Amino acid sequence: MYSLHQLLWDIRRDAAVKDAYMANSSQVLDSYGVSGDLRWMMQRLDFKGLYEAGVNPYLLYFCAIQLEIDRAEYYARIRGELV
């Protein structure tokens, strides 16, 4: 979980990490050691699943903003309406 939280934080604060994630999420997830269900949910931007798995909701929200997901789409994803 810590490595995923670190990734979310880095996406928020470092444009190079964000750009790398948007270009090749698998490579970035590998470099942070994110695996299993958390990896699968992060690749799909399954914010509801990530939240339910215990990921920090503030990190999720600010990561979504950096990944250029608009507020309406984020809320639809967190409610499980979009995956």
Side-chain angles (χ1 to χ4, degrees):
M1 182 70 69
Y2 177 80
S3 58
L4 179 57
H5 280 147
Q6 186 65 53
L7 171 59
L8 295 172
W9 177 258
D10 289 349
I11 287 172
R12 178 178 180 239
R13 71 172 182 83
D14 187 339
V17 175
K18 171 211 163 192
D19 292 343
Y21 186 83
M22 291 180 79
N24 188 340
S25 63
S26 291
Q27 185 176 38
V28 174
L29 290 164
D30 286 345
S31 71
Y32 278 81
V34 178
S35 61
D37 289 340
L38 293 176
R39 178 189 184 94
W40 182 79
M41 288 184 278
M42 187 63 194
Q43 285 183 303
R44 296 186 66 209
L45 298 178
D46 177 0
F47 295 121
K48 180 180 183 194
L50 290 164
Y51 174 76
E52 289 173 347
V55 175
N56 182 298
Y58 296 106
L59 292 177
L60 284 176
Y61 179 72
F62 288 111
C63 176
I65 289 171
Q66 289 306 111
L67 294 177
E68 301 171 18
I69 295 171
D70 71 30
R71 184 175 289 161
E73 181 180 342
Y74 172 77
Y75 288 128
R77 287 178 178 270
I78 201 81
R79 289 189 303 261
E81 298 168 4
L82 295 174
V83 179

